[in-house]
Structure formats: C-alpha cells, structure tokens
Amino acid sequence: IKVKKYQYGNRGMTLEDDINESNKYYLSNKIAVIHKKPTPIQIVQVDYPERSKAVIKEAYFKTPSTTDYNGVYRGKYLDFEAKETKSETSLPLKNFHEHQIRHTEAVLACGGIAFVIIRFSKTEEVFLLEGEHLLKFWQRMESGGRKSIAKDEIMQYGHYIPLGIQPRIDYIRLIESLYY
Amino acid sequence: IKVKKYQYGNRGMTLEDDINESNKYYLSNKIAVIHKKPTPIQIVQVDYPERSKAVIKEAYFKTPSTTDYNGVYRGKYLDFEAKETKSETSLPLKNFHEHQIRHTEAVLACGGIAFVIIRFSKTEEVFLLEGEHLLKFWQRMESGGRKSIAKDEIMQYGHYIPLGIQPRIDYIRLIESLYY
Ligand SMILES: [Mg+2]
Ligand SMILES: [Mg+2]
C-alpha cells in the first residue's frame, strides 16, 4: 500500500521529471533512447584552480534553437516539447517560442515524428498532440485567431496518456500505435 | 580564384566547425535537421541583476551522457561523434569515453544510425566509420588488443568523405548511399 501511495497521485514531480523517469525506463529496457537536451550556455569566463576542476565564473543562458527532447525509437527520429500549464481550459501558445515552431516544421519536413506532451497540472491529465496540429493552431494565431489551444481541442485532436507506474508517462506506446 | 583559396585547404577550421557549417546547409535546404548538443553544465549559483539578464556565477562542466550530434534524415535517427586526431597513423581510442560507446550501443539496439566522423588533421582526410565497427574496435581493446584504430583499418572498414564546397563534409550523401 505504501508503494501505491508513492507511485500514484501528485508527488510534486514536474512533467519533465516524469518524462525523464520514463526515458530512463525506456533506455534500460532498450526500448528507446530519448534524452533531454542540455540548456545551451554562453560561457564568458572560466577559472582553472590548481588541483581542482574548471569553474565557470561568468556565463549566460542562451535561447535553445530546438525542442526539449529527441531520440530514437525503432529507427525513427522522435522530437518533442514538454509543456505544463496551470490553466484548466487551454494551453496558451505563448508557452512556445518561434524557434520551437520552426524546428518542429523542419523535423516534419525531414520525415521525423514531432509532438508535444502537455500536462494540465491541476488535474494531472497528460496529452500528446502531434506536431502537425500544433502548427495548425500556431498558424491560426498568426492569422489573428485565438492565442491558445483549447483543452477541448487538445482532447479532440490529441491523445490522452493515462498515467502509469513504470513508465509513468508511456508516450512510446502511443507513438507505436500512431506511427508503426 | 580568391574564392577557391578560401574554400579549399586548411582554413584553420576545426572538424566541428566544418560539420556545423554542413548542418546549416542541410537545414536551410530541408535535407536534414542535425544539431550539436550543448555541453551539459551543472549550475550552482545564478545572479539576477536588476534590469539585466541572469548571470551564472558558479557552474561546472558535466560529462555528457551522449554523443556530439544527432538529428533526422528522411525519417531516420542519426547519431554521431566527431573526432579529430593529429596522429597520421591511427585514431587513439582514448578519444572516446565509455558513455559514448554505451550510447552508441543503445542507439544501434533501437535501430538508429550511429557513426563517427574522423579527421586526420595533418592531411585533412575525413572518414565516416559506422558504429558497428567502432564497437568491434572498442571490444578488441577491452580484450587486450590495441588501444587505437589503425588508419589502414579506418580506410578499410570506413568510408572516405571527399571535402566539398557546400556542404564541406557531405556525410549525408554517404549515409544516403549506405542506409537508404
Ligand atoms: Mg518545455
Ligand atoms: Mg567530439
């Protein structure tokens, strides 16, 4: 019972924590190799103290040119963003950067599988929305339409991912059924 | 003639510079989406000065858990390391970290395309060696064999990539002929 308590429900883990944990499971079971990309940093000054390792003393965050995660499943290239929102009714599109949209377009143009994993944090519901739909909603905004994707739309065009134990967010199972 | 001088021969560019330039060409021509992964950094202290952006004041380099580059070409997952050596006769295997070898194994097990791009800097010759061969040479070392891959072996099992103008290192053309 203790185990169940621990494994279900809100444990204060972020969506990224859950995805990272799922990725570890996929990796150790040789199912998929998916990693989060490190945040790019502009390094300005590094000190090399004697007998100890280099210390970065001045650096700045750079804007990433890609999305959060990528990797391989059954030979195919997978690429996705993780987005969490406190809103109960929609995912605001200001959560995306222009470069992430451009990257998604480029990946799709080269035959990759691109998507977003969205969590509504209040209800802990997780959905996968394919890149093609994300691009349509982005274009709707650019044409003067709404600046968010309604939860109804995510439920309609996306796919609900029930929470599991291991892996907690089994998005690969869904990708398998959608693309293979 | 000026252009030729600039475009051929040693311009003091590193192998990574040449690969990054090639990747830009692939991206802007919608051929492939390949990016170098940022170096992972362990951030310890960040200052937030008023009216200016966050400054990282203390951070350390972390060992990457993957290889240098990955991305997508015609739907398939590509993953590779870039290695340059001053030796004229071999590529020392100490140029690789254990985790890069494990990562290469994992990528191959999941159907990805893994390889190394090797430059002999003295002669500017560039070769592509497929991951399967890298693993064999690594295993040879682990079984007590030589601690490097002879250039002869790289010429025998790998593939020479002639330098071009744009892209400078057209590894995608080679991948196309080997895997598609
Ligand atoms: Mg994110
Ligand atoms: Mg390298």
Side-chain angles (χ1 to χ4, degrees), chain A residues 30-33 35 38 40-41 43 54-61 66 70-72 74-77 103 106 110-112, chain B residues 30-33 35 38 40-41 43 53-61 66 70-72 74-77 103 106 110-112:
Chain A
K30 296 186 182 180
I31 293 166
V33 183
H35 288 280
I41 304 284
I43 296 168
V55 189
I56 298 161
K57 300 298 267 182
E58 185 187 350
Y60 299 89
F61 295 101
T66 65
N70 74 3
V72 57
R74 287 183 59 192
K76 292 193 190 180
Y77 177 81
H103 177 71
C110 290
Chain B
K30 297 185 182 179
I31 293 166
V33 183
H35 287 280
I41 304 283
I43 296 168
K53 58 182 179 171
V55 190
I56 298 161
K57 300 298 267 181
E58 186 186 350
Y60 299 89
F61 295 101
T66 64
N70 74 2
V72 57
R74 288 185 58 193
K76 292 193 188 178
Y77 177 79
H103 177 71
C110 290

Side-chain angles (χ1 to χ4, degrees), chain A residues 32-131:
Chain A
V33 183
I34 315 280
H35 288 280
K36 182 160 177 9
K37 292 203 178 169
T39 308
I41 304 284
Q42 176 74 50
I43 296 168
V44 175
Q45 197 205 325
V46 184
D47 276 11
Y48 299 92
E50 267 183 73
R51 281 168 225 237
S52 58
K53 59 182 179 173
V55 189
I56 298 161
K57 300 298 267 182
E58 185 187 350
Y60 299 89
F61 295 101
K62 287 200 294 188
T63 307
S65 48
T66 65
T67 44
D68 288 336
Y69 294 89
N70 74 3
V72 57
Y73 171 63
R74 287 183 59 192
K76 292 193 190 180
Y77 177 81
L78 265 55
D79 190 295
F80 63 99
E81 261 300 306
K83 296 291 184 198
E84 202 155 7
T85 181
K86 283 175 183 169
S87 162
E88 293 187 71
T89 53
S90 72
L91 177 69
L93 284 165
K94 69 171 185 314
N95 279 286
F96 295 88
H97 300 287
E98 179 78 25
H99 63 85
Q100 293 173 331
I101 300 296
R102 295 305 148 236
H103 177 71
T104 298
E105 281 174 349
V107 165
L108 291 175
C110 290
I113 298 171
F115 53 93
V116 193
I117 296 179
I118 301 157
R119 171 145 76 184
F120 290 91
S121 49
K122 289 259 172 64
T123 56
E124 285 211 310
E125 289 166 295
V126 175
F127 296 90
L128 184 150
L129 184 70
E130 291 166 85

Side-chain angles (χ1 to χ4, degrees), chain B residues 4 15 31 62 81 92 99 128 132 135 142 149 157 167:
Chain B
K4 253 192 158 178
L15 174 58
I31 293 166
K62 287 200 293 188
E81 260 301 306
H99 62 85
L128 184 151
E132 292 82 351
L135 296 181
E142 288 191 323
I149 312 174
Y157 298 105

Side-chain angles (χ1 to χ4, degrees), chain B residues 16 36 68-69 81-84 100:
Chain B
E16 288 202 353
K36 181 159 177 12
D68 288 335
Y69 293 90
E81 260 301 306
K83 295 291 183 198
E84 201 155 7
Q100 292 173 332

